[in-house]
Amino acid sequence: MRDRASQQAALAGLGRQALSGVDFGTLLQKAAAVAARELEAEHVAVLERTHDGAGMLARAGFGLPDGVLGGVLPVEPGRLARDLGAASSIAAELGSRFGVIEAHSREPDHFTAEDAEFLEGVAGVLGAAGERAGHEDLVRDSEAQFRELADTTPALMWMTDAEGDVTFVNQGWLRFTGGVAGHEIGGTFAASAHPDDRDELLRRWTEASERREEFRCEYRLRHGESGGYRWVLELGTPRFSGGDFVGYVGTATDIHERRTMEEALRASETIWRELADTAPAMMWTTGTDGAITFVNQGWLRFTGTTFQEEMGQSWALGVHPEDAEPMLASWEEALKERREWEGEYRLKHNTGEYRWIHDRGVPRIVGDRFVGYVGAAIDIHERKTMEGRLLEVYEREHRIAETLQRSLLPERLPPIEGVALAARYLPGARGAAIGGDWYDVLERPDGRVALVVGDVAGHGLRAAASMGQLRNAFRAYGMVEASPAEVVARINRLVMSGVEQVMATVLYLVLDRESGEVAWSAAGHPPPLVIAPDGARFLEGGRSVPIGAADPAVFREATAILPPGSSLLLYTDGLVERRDRPLEERLNELAEAAGEAGDELGELCEHVIAKVLGEGDPSDDVALLAVRPLPVADTEISLTLPAEPGSLAQLRRRLARFLHATGATELEQYEITLTICEAAGNAIEHAYGPGDASYDVDVRFEGGELTAVVRDKGSWRDKRGEHRGRGLAIIEDLMDDVAVERAEGGTLVRMRRRVGENRAA
Amino acid sequence: MTAPAEIVLDRRDGSVVARLSGEVDMSNASYVRDQLLASVPNEVLTLVLDISGTRYLDSAAIEVLFEVSRRLARRRQELRLVMPPDSPLRRVIELTEVHTAAPVFESLEDALS
């Protein structure tokens, strides 16, 4: 919405210039510029009718594209607006035949009726001036015309003669002052001014008129309607005719609102600044352009600068170079939209170091006018740096815990004869703390494999450390205790007797590789999953409270037989627990995902993680352990083993599974294993030495008879120590038939024994 | 890789009871020997070695039994073995005549009486 008062003042100013005898061409240019500004128009054009009346000459304009000025257009209303692509336009005739002034806008319906009225006024001034330019001698006529025109505007206008006596005041003036024309004319200048302002007004008037200069004064003028005074801005322009000074033409504009607002603002500002200076906070104000107009003592105490140094834009020099750009960008954006602004940045302190401050500015609206910002800042350096340090400490702990966690988990699972193994550990999402999940595998003295998956309650370093202790406890008790429930019970007692409160859920399971028999105890832990060829199902039973929850506590165990070709999946609840879903549903998803994965255990883990956990980091950490007894050949095994004592256990393992498959009794298994291993022991002792020396073992089972051949690359020496003699005695006694062949390349022992029936003594 | 073996020690009625579980072969025989010898203080008269839970003993392990028995005898101490009658080890123990060096009992209670 354009300001009507401003339009009137502009019109009055234009009138003044017209009367002051300015060159007509210049006046047209000025009128175009003034009209464009006051109408917020894209272009304004003054078109003059050519002498033959057949065209319109673009005589003056504002905002017009190159090439329009000086050109001639057909006489056709709205032609130029159309050519220039304007969406709306208004036009007014200049005088009777002179031409037309028109304003265009790109926006539809841009112009109001008041705009049109204003443009009529401009056209009136120009028309009068144009005619006067054509008939210079008719000054008085034009003055009369001016008066006529002046009387039609609501602005306040006046004229004086060369002596300074008032010769004319318009209707607007009289309406304002409530005076009568006769009383305002003559040596009455300043008669209606406020007594307090009259001296100043006369002093300026005298000064200006003596020098024939522009006159300007703000003063309080009597206001008839209210019976008081109102502030006006009075402007006067000297008039010349044929080079002679003939007096002044002037206008007065009502600036009462602005002036009183400014005064109120100044008064409140003074109070505010005094208040602000006593406040411990750092405070500031800006003008409408965002330049600093005030900072309080608190601010200056912080920066150690002077008030002058902080004014305008230079305060930003104190902002830390790394913060300046983003901070100024956000400030300028807020300023453009006159929104509240808030920022944290480092500002140079009087000590020379940068300190973090929190700064906030809100737009100040006085009446309905935006007058700038007022803001306050506080020093948040301690908090901010503490936050940074805390974050650092937190991240360090997270890193240490993760490192500890990983160092406590077996880097690679130990190769265990006869089973395939795979494990995965996923730390919780960054930001969430590391938990205490672990997995472990160990080979028990009784030949069974113990598997454990656990989850220590809590997060961070302590949980990871507790996990390490529990893992070791399971290794120790797992070695000596055969019963899973007893292992768990012992560890519970250990934990409950400790000083530190530790709580953990654990699934401890022992697997017999040969028979596929499993025994397990689930201490507050979700059940293990069996993935059998005919589908996946959970092993129920053997459930009890978590470790560290109660003492004494009853721990149960359960047993089951894995169908041939099955895999087992042990996991922690990070895999299946989700706040938004019932556990039952998650377990079903797990079984479904595991059932559709292939035989390879690494792939099984990956598939389950991808399907059950989905994309992204898990919120809690997750440990997975998958195991599968490998299928056993039951007719023949053929092995090449390194010639070192450590290979014997591996050989026994392979033999145990092979012999189990043949259906040999426990006693037969032991005795056959013993004889083959005794022969292998000889091979190891006779090997040429360390390095790549090896020996071969071939075992066949056919028609109830077992044949074993142990071949080395060294040569047998008899009776090397008493126990070697015993070794040979054992072989000969426990086998039906033994043959030793010594050759260049090494020694071969061939042994036979019937299995499953009474053998010859 | 050495064979997995575990020894759990206990004091009962002036004797040391060592329960040997797992497997003993040439890879860990000397370890088992050292553990057993170290487990017997001077004031104890008997080391009872319970092999009921032992899954495997080879000739190197048998040799350890002889050696431990010999070393204890020098200190006027005795090695006794506990082995149930149905143990798969029985035949080997008898075959190698371990019982001549260390008396064999069918239960822990028998060995301690």
Side-chain angles (χ1 to χ4, degrees), chain A residues 385-464:
Chain A
T385 49
M386 193 61 76
E387 269 173 11
R389 240 171 288 154
L390 268 178
L391 203 67
E392 228 171 75
V393 168
Y394 178 75
E395 275 184 358
R396 194 165 55 225
E397 184 178 311
H398 182 91
R399 262 199 319 276
I400 294 171
E402 187 175 338
T403 309
L404 181 60
Q405 180 89 352
R406 288 205 181 275
S407 71
L408 291 171
L409 292 174
E411 177 101 344
R412 218 176 296 138
L413 292 169
I416 291 181
E417 182 58 45
V419 289
L421 287 168
R424 294 289 185 277
Y425 171 73
L426 307 174
R430 207 183 142 68
I434 291 294
D437 285 13
W438 90 95
Y439 57 81
D440 204 1
V441 183
L442 63 112
E443 214 168 356
R444 283 186 37 79
D446 65 4
R448 293 186 297 167
V449 178
L451 304 154
V452 59
V453 164
D455 178 1
V456 175
H459 293 281
L461 271 177
R462 269 183 59 166

Side-chain angles (χ1 to χ4, degrees), chain A residues 547-664:
Chain A
I547 283 175
D551 184 36
V554 177
F555 292 96
R556 296 183 192 86
E557 71 180 60
T559 57
I561 307 255
L562 300 183
S566 301
S567 302
L568 255 181
L569 184 68
L570 282 59
Y571 52 91
T572 54
D573 64 3
L575 181 65
V576 289
E577 204 171 68
R578 270 226 204 137
R579 280 193 192 119
D580 55 341
R581 306 276 298 279
L583 184 63
E584 204 62 29
E585 207 173 293
R586 301 281 295 163
L587 287 176
N588 289 340
E589 283 177 19
L590 169 59
E592 195 179 316
E596 63 199 26
D599 277 353
E600 210 281 313
L601 294 183
E603 278 170 27
L604 168 69
C605 291
E606 297 298 339
H607 185 76
V608 160
I609 288 168
K611 271 286 167 93
V612 179
L613 226 42
E615 296 297 313
D617 290 336
S619 56
D620 198 359
D621 52 351
V622 175
L624 272 179
L625 177 60
V627 62
R628 187 176 54 237
L630 293 174
V632 191
D634 57 358
T635 58
E636 185 172 2
I637 53 172
S638 183
L639 302 167
T640 297
L641 295 164
E644 55 196 33
S647 67
L648 291 174
Q650 197 186 345
L651 174 58
R652 282 197 298 279
R653 210 46 28 244
R654 294 292 292 266
L655 289 172
R657 307 182 61 235
F658 176 75
L659 294 170
H660 181 86
T662 64

Side-chain angles (χ1 to χ4, degrees), chain A residues 65-83:
Chain A
D66 286 347
V68 174
L69 274 185
V72 175
L73 298 147
V75 183
E76 186 187 324
R79 172 60 184 260
L80 182 57
R82 218 167 34 251
D83 286 354

